[in-house]
Amino acid sequence: MKENRRQEPARGAFWHALDDQTVQCDMCHRFCRIREGQPGFCRTRVNRMGSLFSLNYAHPASIALDPVEKKPLYHFMPGSMTFSLGTFGCNFRCGNCQNWQISQDDGRRHHPAERSPQSIVREAIDVGAPSVSFTYNEPTVCAEYALDCMRIARRAGLKTIWVTNGYMSDNLLEKLLPLLDAVNVDLKSVDDAFYRRVCQARVAPVLRTIERLAGEGVHLELTTLLIPGFSDGDDMLKRAAEFIVTKVGAKTPWHLSAFVPAISWRMQNITETPAERLEQAYSIAQQAGMTWTYSGVHHQNTFCPSCGSLLIERNRFTLRRHDREGHCPHCGTDTAIKDK
Ligand code: SF4
Ligand code: SF4
């Protein structure tokens, strides 16, 4: 590890001391027990003399101005740009990860200059972004930094977004919810075997986080990556759709996305998701009663669930036809699309 990197003391709410200078990190459902001098599973938090320190606080590895649709969020401030940043490290080891250069790094390859929470919000305002997104790697592993940025962003009138694997602890979720406007959670599968095999994680905490978010008034969208032979089976997709309809809400936007092996970390020998599979997955979601499913080029637009009018057209640009309150201009149905 580079010696000159800032080592921010981890907030007391997110760890506690055990015996013999060992500490337990309470940030995510791994609850790592970390011995003196050692990092946690995510490689971003280290035990120094019996206290926990964050290694990625104020060290974003990637910053960009992205369309909010790229998160993906299709029903939250459609057509807007979002100031997006990620740090390094992750509490998962997904073989399919497309951002593995930062998510599986311990900071050695990514050590950019410090960017304070104040400077992040100032940059977002300077480029005219109405929101700040924590994305690219898992925001849970830089939660202290993200929460500090979010507090300042909220005071400046900006919205806040997380793109997450949903593995944060209940403790972190409590601190996060009052500061969060919108979130996209990866529902990678509903099978524990998938999470164990592909991500080195468990499914139950993810499902609980999704249910919790659905009941808290945060704008929620879900994404499932269809990895051939791993997370694209009819049975799994039916159970995932059933989970969403019964526990989360049939009106939750669900993004079914295609796997691209060439940019994956350790699954380059798996084939790309065929267009027919995306089409079949879309049909399964429709049959289960989902209102808004997005998959592939043929299912990117948003239609009114009552009268079928085109509400949002997504091509190169996003064209909105609903009113500012998210009502259908033809029949007045409240579509719950959030514009502000
Ligand atoms: S945030 Fe990192 S150190 Fe903390 S419990 Fe999760 S994986 Fe372990
Ligand atoms: S896909 Fe997401 S959760 Fe999985 S390793 Fe990459 S950044 Fe982490």
Side-chain angles (χ1 to χ4, degrees), residues 90 92-94 96-97 103-104 136-138 165 186 188:
C90 189
F92 279 18
R93 298 271 188 273
C94 305
N96 59 280
C97 187
S103 75
Q104 301 308 318
Y136 306 137
N137 72 324
E138 171 53 41
N165 58 28
D186 266 348
K188 295 171 188 288

Side-chain angles (χ1 to χ4, degrees), residues 105 188 230 268:
D105 185 36
K188 295 171 188 288
F230 287 82
Q268 297 187 353

Side-chain angles (χ1 to χ4, degrees), residues 6 16 25 30 34 41 49-50 56 77 103 109 134 137 169 180 186 219 272 297 309 340:
R6 172 174 174 167
H16 66 276
C25 178
R30 287 198 180 277
I34 310 171
F41 181 89
M49 312 278 285
N56 56 4
M77 305 178 89
S103 75
R109 275 178 297 183
F134 295 88
N137 72 324
S169 64
L180 187 65
D186 266 348
H219 177 81
E272 208 167 307
V297 289
S309 298
K340 52 191 176 183

Side-chain angles (χ1 to χ4, degrees), residues 60-307:
S62 189
I63 295 183
L65 187 63
D66 287 336
V68 75
E69 283 78 10
K70 207 175 156 186
K71 298 303 103 189
L73 288 175
Y74 275 19
H75 290 221
F76 185 78
M77 305 178 89
S80 70
M81 303 296 281
T82 181
F83 191 83
S84 305
L85 66 149
T87 58
F88 62 84
C90 189
N91 50 356
F92 279 18
R93 298 271 188 273
C94 305
N96 59 280
C97 187
Q98 302 187 346
N99 290 332
W100 58 271
Q101 289 95 339
I102 58 171
S103 75
Q104 301 308 318
D105 185 36
D106 63 3
R108 266 183 265 238
R109 275 178 297 183
H110 297 92
H111 192 250
E114 266 190 56
R115 303 280 260 278
S116 68
Q118 291 82 356
S119 72
I120 289 297
V121 175
R122 206 176 313 120
E123 282 181 61
I125 292 169
D126 286 349
V127 296
S131 63
V132 177
S133 292
F134 295 88
T135 175
Y136 306 137
N137 72 324
E138 171 53 41
T140 294
V141 303
C142 65
E144 282 118 342
Y145 181 45
L147 294 176
D148 285 352
C149 291
M150 291 162 82
R151 263 181 222 107
I152 299 169
R154 275 287 190 82
R155 282 203 292 270
L158 305 185
K159 302 292 185 193
T160 58
I161 295 168
W162 270 37
V163 180
T164 175
N165 58 28
Y167 219 58
M168 69 283 283
S169 64
D170 296 348
N171 193 12
L172 172 56
L173 198 53
E174 290 296 331
K175 308 276 183 306
L176 177 65
L177 283 169
L179 295 169
L180 187 65
D181 292 300
V183 59
N184 186 304
V185 184
D186 266 348
L187 177 60
K188 295 171 188 288
S189 172
V190 287
D191 288 331
D192 197 47
F194 172 94
Y195 271 83
R196 280 168 177 261
R197 183 178 173 196
V198 178
C199 315
Q200 293 186 33
R202 308 298 299 266
V203 72
V206 179
L207 300 183
R208 275 206 307 276
T209 298
I210 291 172
E211 285 185 55
R212 180 82 197 277
L213 285 164
E216 294 285 347
V218 175
H219 177 81
L220 171 66
E221 303 196 15
L222 300 171
T223 297
T224 300
L225 180 70
L226 305 186
I227 307 174
F230 287 82
S231 55
D232 69 338
D234 285 2
D235 177 60
M236 194 290 288
L237 289 166
K238 279 180 195 162
R239 285 184 288 120
E242 191 182 308
F243 165 74
I244 301 171
V245 169
T246 57
K247 305 281 175 129
V248 189
K251 291 188 173 174
T252 309
W254 190 20
H255 302 265
L256 300 165
S257 55
F259 172 67
V260 183
I263 52 173
S264 76
W265 182 34
R266 287 179 168 164
M267 297 181 91
Q268 297 187 353
N269 56 340
I270 307 296
T271 56
E272 208 167 307
T273 314
E276 309 79 58
R277 195 82 289 262
L278 286 166
E279 201 58 42
Q280 175 64 11
Y282 179 85
S283 301
I284 288 171
Q286 294 300 103
Q287 282 159 21
M290 295 288 301
T291 309
W292 283 302
T293 307
Y294 299 101
S295 76
V297 289
H298 301 302
H299 303 292
Q300 293 200 62
N301 295 335
T302 300
F303 296 92
C304 173
S306 300
C307 72

